[in-house]
């Protein structure tokens, strides 16, 4: 009789070990399948603003047959970590004596607004906006600069016009 009892305990021990090992293998297989069908970590989509500088001086004038020539400028350095190109769609500058100025950019011997030229920040790349302001800016005065992007992001900075 003892022999039969020993068989039963060995059998139940093997059954318990098999259940534990089988459960572990099943869990590993489930985890592998789950990681294969779920999407990976999404690419960051938020733009990174490396710096913005405003220079005071004379205004530039929009033109389709000559380059921008004013001294008032807005420079913005932007990094785009996303997988999509993003455009700058609008720039608005407000401050002392300036209610609704914008930035102009040089496009093949023309001086067009940002809204007309839509500068592109390439996916995974950097871009430097060299915008000529269409209003005179006073040195050492404070201006609010608002920039809109095609993906819905915005940048709002208060800058002091440098000389």
């Amino acid at each position: 009789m003892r022999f039969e009892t020993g068989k039963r305990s060995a059998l139940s021990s093997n059954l318990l070990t098999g259940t534990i090992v089988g459960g572990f293998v099943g869990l590993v297989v489930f985890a592998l399948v789950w990681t294969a069908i779920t999407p990976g970590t999404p690419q960051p989509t938020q733009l990174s603003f490396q710096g913005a500088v405003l220079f005071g001086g004379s205004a530039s004038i929009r033109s389709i047959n000559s380059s921008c020539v004013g001294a008032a400028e807005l420079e913005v350095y932007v990094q785009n970590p996303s997988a999509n190109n993003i455009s700058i769609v609008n720039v608005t500058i407000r401050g002392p004596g300036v209610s609704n100025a914008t930035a102009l950019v040089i496009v093949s011997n023309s001086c067009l607004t940002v809204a007309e030229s839509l500068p592109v920040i390439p996916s995974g790349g950097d871009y430097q906006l060299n915008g000529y302001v269409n209003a005179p800016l006073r040195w050492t005065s404070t201006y609010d600069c608002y920039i809109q992007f095609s993906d819905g992001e915005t940048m709002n900075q208060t800058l002091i016009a440098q000389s």
Side-chain angles (χ1 to χ4, degrees):
M1 278 204 154
R2 287 186 182 176
F3 184 70
E4 288 180 22
T5 308
K7 273 188 167 182
R8 285 186 191 160
S9 71
L11 182 60
S12 63
S13 174
N14 287 341
L15 185 61
L16 179 63
T17 304
T19 302
I20 291 172
V21 170
F24 179 74
V25 169
L27 186 63
V28 168
V29 169
F30 176 77
L32 289 172
V33 169
W34 179 262
T35 57
I37 62 172
T38 57
T41 305
Q43 288 277 348
T45 58
Q46 189 170 11
L47 296 171
S48 172
F49 303 102
Q50 306 299 320
V53 180
L54 192 63
F55 295 98
S58 60
S60 192
I61 299 171
R62 182 193 171 281
S63 173
I64 57 171
N65 57 12
S66 64
S67 292
C68 303
V69 293
E73 290 186 49
L74 171 65
E75 291 184 7
V76 179
Y77 303 93
V78 184
Q79 184 178 33
N80 177 7
S82 77
N84 302 315
N85 291 340
I86 298 174
S87 298
I88 301 172
V89 295
N90 190 33
V91 173
T92 304
I93 300 169
R94 294 183 178 102
V98 177
S99 61
N100 206 18
T102 191
L104 306 168
V105 292
I106 298 173
V107 179
S108 64
N109 203 32
S110 298
C111 186
L112 303 175
T113 65
V114 167
E116 293 171 320
S117 59
L118 296 174
V120 174
I121 307 161
S123 67
D126 299 332
Y127 181 77
Q128 177 181 343
L129 171 67
N130 290 320
Y132 293 84
V133 181
N134 68 345
L137 302 180
R138 294 188 297 206
W139 295 293
T140 68
S141 291
T142 303
Y143 296 91
D144 292 321
C145 300
Y146 180 75
I147 302 175
Q148 292 176 296
F149 299 89
S150 61
D151 69 340
E153 290 185 65
T154 59
M155 182 196 90
N156 195 7
Q157 288 264 242
T158 301
L159 302 171
I160 298 173
Q162 308 294 313
S163 58

